[in-house]
Amino acid sequence: MVLTESLPLIPLPNSAVPGEGALRLTDATRVHGEPSSARMLVDAMTRRTGMRLEIAPDASGPASGDIVLRVDPAAGAAEGYRLVIADDAEIVGADSAGLAHGVHTLLQLLREDDDGWALRHAVVSDAPRFAYRGVMLDVARRFFPVDEVRTVIDRAAALKFNHLHLHLSDDQGWRIHIDSWPLLSQRSSTASATGDGSLAGGGCYSRADYSEIVAYAASRHITVVPEIDMPGHTHAIGVAYPELVEAPVMNEHLLDDAARLGHALPEAGVPYTGWGVGHSSLRIREERTYDFVRDVLTELAELTPGPYLHIGGDESLGTSAEDFAYFVGRATEIVSSLGKTPVAWHEAGAAPGLASGTVGQFWGALTPEAAHAAQAARFVERGGRLILSPSDAAYLDMKYDEHFPIGQDWAGVIDVQRAYDWEPVTLLDVPASAIAGVEAPLWTETVRSLADAEQLMHPRLAAVAEVAWSAPGPQRSWASFRERLGAQAPAWRADGIRFHPTPEIPWSDR
Ligand code: TNX
C-alpha cells in the first residue's frame, strides 16, 4: 500500500499517490463520457462550488483540463476504478458502479484556495475489500418519506456503500402496501415508536413509492434489501389481521422498560407505540400464516430486482424454540422458492431447517457470546455467508457518549473510534470467504426527524464505510482516519449534512 497521508479520502483507497499541483476548474472545464456519472459529478460540484461545469456533447473530443469518465472492464476488479488527476482528469471504472465510486473520490479531492476551485493532482487505484457494504434504515419505528430515503441513499453512496436494507415492518408499524392483504397499509401503518400512544411518525409506501426508492437506489448503484421481520416483531400485523397473531406475551425486560419510560404495554389489536420487544408472534402452526407469508414475499419479490429478501428472525421471545425453528425453515424455503436468497438475523441459525444458502446477519457483540457465534456459524455450515453488524461497533442508534441527547445505550456507547477500530474477518470463527461484508443499522426508536438520523449516522457511517471498503494496511489506522475525516467537514457542510461535530475529530474549516 502506498502512503496516502496527504490525501483526504474516505474510505481509504488501495493506493493513492498525491501529485504536486492541482487542476484548476474554470468556466471552460467540460465533463465527457458516461452520462449518469457525469450528471452526478456536475450536480455535486455545483452544490459545493456554485460553478456549473458543462457536459460535453458525445462527439466532441476532450480538451486539456477536461474531465473524462469511462468504463473499461480491464480497469480492475468489480466496483474498482482508476483515477488520474494531472493536466486533465480521467476516471476509468471497471463497471458503472466503479466509475461512480471514482467520481466520489474525485469530489473529495476538490478544494478551494486563493485562486479558486481546483482538484488535487493524484493517482488512485481502488477496489472494495467486501462485496456487501450496507446501511439499514428502520422505517418501521419511524417512517421516512421517499424524499428523505433519497437523501439517505445519496449520503450512503458518497461513502461507497452498495446496499440499503429497509426494515419495513415491526411491532409499531407496517410500511409497504401489499395488494393481497390491503388492510396492512390501512390499519397497521398508523403508529410509530412515539412511546405515548400518539399517532405521529406513521406512514406506508405504496408500491409506486417503493419502486421509486428501488430505482433511485439503483441509479446510485445501491441494491435495496427489504425486510419483513417475523415471526416476532409482528404486533402491527395483528392490528389489521388479528387471526394471524398470538396474544401478546410480556417479558421482564419489557415490563421494566415500559415502567421506566412510561410506555403503555402492548394490547392485542391496538396500535403499539412502546419500545418493548419479544412480545409478539405470528401463529406458527396455522396454514393461513404461510398463505400470508407467501403472498407478502411474492409481492415483495416482484417489486425487488435485488437478490435478497430478509425475513427478520430476531428476538422472537414470544415463540417457543421449536415453533421458531419450524417457522424459519418454512419462511426461508418460501424465499428460496421465489428465486431469491433469504437473509435472516443470526438467531435463525438455530433452526435445523434453515434453507441452504441463507445469509445470516450477525448483531452480537465484538466479543460474541458463544451461543450467538454458534448460531452465526450455522449459516456458513448451510452454505450461506454472513453480514456483520456488531451491535457495540456498527449500531448507529447507540449514543456517542452517555450525555448524547438521542440514541440508546444497551450495547454501550459508541464513539467514532469504537465504530472504526474493529476487524470483520476475525470476529467469528468462520473462514474469511464466509464474510460477505458489513452493515451499519440505524434503529429509530429515538429518532424524530431526518436531522436526528443524520446526527447518529454522521460521522460514524464514514467509519463503518472504511471498515467495509478498505483492506487493512499501515494507512488504515485511526490516526490517519481522524485526519482524513476532519477534512470532510467543508464538503459535508456544503451538502447540508447535519453531522455530530464530535471533539474526537479535528474538523477543518476549509
Ligand atoms: C435490537 S438488533 C433490535 C431492534 C431494536 C434495537 C434497538 C435487532 C436485530 N433487534 O428491534 O430496534 O435493538 O437498538
Side-chain angles (χ1 to χ4, degrees):
M1 174 150 343
V2 180
L3 292 190
T4 52
E5 203 71 273
S6 46
L7 290 175
L9 300 175
I10 290 183
L12 183 77
N14 274 341
S15 141
V17 184
E20 288 292 316
L23 170 60
R24 292 272 143 220
L25 297 174
T26 70
D27 290 344
T29 310
R30 298 196 303 171
V31 182
H32 301 257
E34 208 267 327
S36 87
S37 283
R39 254 191 324 272
M40 184 181 77
L41 172 62
V42 167
D43 289 346
M45 282 220 185
T46 305
R47 275 200 304 278
R48 183 80 192 285
T49 67
M51 291 168 64
R52 188 145 191 100
L53 303 188
E54 192 194 325
I55 297 185
D58 268 356
S60 70
S64 172
D66 282 358
I67 301 171
V68 177
L69 309 176
R70 54 189 189 89
V71 171
D72 179 352
E79 295 190 82
Y81 65 92
R82 278 185 60 80
L83 160 72
V84 178
I85 303 174
D87 292 342
D88 30 47
E90 184 180 54
I91 306 173
V92 187
D95 46 33
S96 59
L99 180 58
H101 297 320
V103 168
H104 289 299
T105 299
L106 177 134
L107 288 166
Q108 291 180 351
L109 293 167
L110 192 58
R111 63 162 199 218
E112 191 180 24
D113 59 24
D114 295 339
D115 300 321
W117 287 95
L119 293 167
R120 285 191 60 161
H121 283 176
V123 178
V124 177
S125 108
D126 203 6
R129 180 182 189 194
F130 293 110
Y132 187 105
R133 304 176 307 280
V135 179
M136 190 205 85
L137 189 60
D138 173 4
V139 297
R141 270 55 173 272
R142 182 191 177 277
F143 183 69
F144 289 77
V146 173
D147 63 317
E148 293 185 351
V149 178
R150 272 207 215 99
T151 301
V152 171
I153 288 170
D154 285 338
R155 309 279 194 245
L159 292 167
K160 302 183 170 59
F161 283 95
N162 63 357
H163 287 81
L164 173 69
H165 168 181
L166 289 176
H167 185 74
L168 288 169
S169 72
D170 213 300
D171 291 311
Q172 295 82 355
W174 181 280
R175 308 300 183 203
I176 172 94
H177 176 77
I178 300 293
D179 277 344
S180 51
W181 296 80
L183 299 183
L184 292 168
S185 49
Q186 283 176 38
R187 297 190 188 158
S188 302
S189 70
T190 53
S192 74
T194 52
D196 60 6
S198 70
L199 296 183
C204 192
Y205 303 120
S206 66
R207 290 168 64 97
D209 290 339
Y210 179 79
S211 294
E212 200 179 323
I213 292 171
V214 167
Y216 189 78
S219 78
R220 297 295 183 262
H221 308 282
I222 286 180
T223 301
V224 170
V225 180
E227 177 188 355
I228 300 297
D229 200 353
M230 304 177 286
H233 292 274
T234 46
H235 182 93
I237 296 170
V239 175
Y241 296 103
E243 70 276 18
L244 293 176
V245 302
E246 301 288 357
V249 206
M250 302 305 155
N251 58 68
E252 214 171 295
H253 194 70
L254 180 144
L255 293 170
D256 287 353
D257 266 5
R260 182 173 55 86
L261 298 162
H263 293 172
L265 296 176
E267 217 182 301
V270 178
Y272 177 62
T273 65
W275 298 358
V277 298
H279 50 88
S280 54
S281 179
L282 291 173
R283 291 194 191 169
I284 304 297
R285 302 288 170 174
E286 278 180 33
E287 226 16 64
R288 186 150 171 78
T289 295
Y290 300 94
D291 295 341
F292 171 81
V293 172
R294 192 175 306 100
D295 291 346
V296 167
L297 293 175
T298 301
E299 288 193 34
L300 256 191
E302 282 163 15
L303 294 173
T304 305
Y308 302 115
L309 293 186
H310 198 311
I311 56 124
D314 59 317
E315 301 173 320
S316 294
L317 312 175
T319 316
S320 72
E322 197 190 346
D323 279 0
F324 177 73
Y326 176 79
F327 180 86
V328 166
R330 291 207 54 184
T332 54
E333 260 326 312
I334 290 171
V335 173
S336 298
S337 75
L338 293 167
K340 297 289 188 186
T341 300
V343 187
W345 297 105
H346 70 239
E347 288 100 313
L354 183 74
S356 64
T358 301
V359 170
Q361 185 165 8
F362 173 78
W363 63 280
L366 286 176
T367 306
E369 282 178 33
H372 299 166
Q375 287 162 352
R378 283 266 301 124
F379 287 86
V380 181
E381 288 160 24
R382 306 274 303 163
R385 303 177 80 202
L386 293 167
I387 297 166
L388 302 180
S389 303
S391 47
D392 53 356
Y395 266 34
L396 299 169
D397 67 318
M398 293 301 124
K399 291 175 181 287
Y400 285 89
D401 60 66
E402 58 184 317
H403 304 296
F404 203 69
I406 46 177
Q408 306 215 51
D409 61 6
W410 64 262
V413 294
I414 301 179
D415 60 16
V416 182
Q417 185 171 6
R418 178 94 172 154
Y420 182 80
D421 257 338
W422 60 283
E423 169 49 44
V425 158
T426 51
L427 209 171
L428 296 166
D429 193 12
V430 296
S433 59
I435 305 301
V438 168
E439 182 171 293
L442 179 61
W443 303 100
T444 52
E445 287 92 337
T446 67
V447 171
R448 292 295 162 88
S449 62
L450 182 61
D452 285 356
E454 285 180 356
Q455 269 195 67
L456 289 169
M457 285 193 286
H458 282 78
R460 288 181 296 194
L461 196 55
V464 180
E466 184 148 314
V467 175
W469 178 278
S470 309
Q475 283 300 296
R476 224 211 80 181
S477 68
W478 167 245
S480 152
F481 177 76
R482 63 190 285 279
E483 295 294 330
R484 288 180 281 116
L485 181 55
Q488 307 305 314
W492 285 8
R493 288 191 198 102
D495 266 341
I497 301 179
R498 291 155 286 191
F499 62 94
H500 171 46
T502 166
E504 287 174 274
I505 305 300
W507 300 107
S508 64
D509 292 331
R510 190 170 139 160

